[in-house]
Structure formats: C-alpha cells, structure tokens
Amino acid sequence: MLNNPHYRASGYPYHIPERSYVITNGSHVVVDHDDYLEGLADRRPVLAVGSNMSPQQLARKFPAPHGGAIPVTKIRLLHFDSVYST
C-alpha cells in the first residue's frame, strides 16, 4: 500500500509527530528523546526534512527487515539551510 502512487499522493502531507518516536513493525510509538538510543553505534543517522519526517515515509524508505527498529529523534537545527538538489 505504501508503494502505491495514488495512496501516497492522496495521503500527502503525512502526519508528523510532534515528539521523537520509534518505528517498529510498521507502526510508531512516541517516546522521550533518550528512549531507544542505546546500541546505535553501528547505525547511520539520516536527516529527514519535510514529509520524510513522517513515520509513513520512513517505513517505506527503510523497511524493517534490514535495520530493525527506527529511532527518530526530533531536533531543531539552527543556522542551516535546506535546498533542493538533483
């Protein structure tokens, strides 16, 4: 369903939680900022902007079987610009 273009277009913009969350088995749970942050030494951080901050987009782009749970820590970056690039 998440890869269906019509479904994705009709659901845009996607829900973005106001706090940090963890995606497990396709669903997300809101957490405190330091929950689930242990054992991440071998993981790579990803900066998410716009609709990519939503659990729906992250679950579609990073399927669970490859990396397990996806911890998402909400932060605010100062003195950064977001630009489009091909």
Side-chain angles (χ1 to χ4, degrees):
M1 188 72 120
L2 291 175
N3 289 321
N4 180 308
H6 177 64
Y7 174 79
R8 287 178 40 213
S10 64
Y12 188 87
Y14 307 108
H15 168 72
I16 299 171
E18 293 187 22
R19 293 184 28 215
S20 298
Y21 60 93
V22 174
I23 300 172
T24 307
N25 298 324
S27 63
H28 74 281
V29 177
V30 175
V31 297
D32 288 330
H33 73 280
D34 57 352
D35 288 348
Y36 295 95
L37 295 181
E38 295 178 7
L40 299 179
D42 295 330
R43 310 272 306 257
R44 293 186 183 194
V46 175
L47 184 62
V49 178
S51 70
N52 289 321
M53 294 186 291
S54 74
Q56 294 92 334
Q57 284 286 60
L58 291 173
R60 183 178 68 82
K61 292 181 177 190
F62 300 100
H66 300 292
I70 302 171
V72 179
T73 303
K74 189 155 185 163
I75 63 167
R76 182 174 176 198
L77 289 177
L78 300 176
H79 311 295
F80 278 79
D81 289 325
S82 178
V83 297
Y84 173 79
S85 177
T86 58

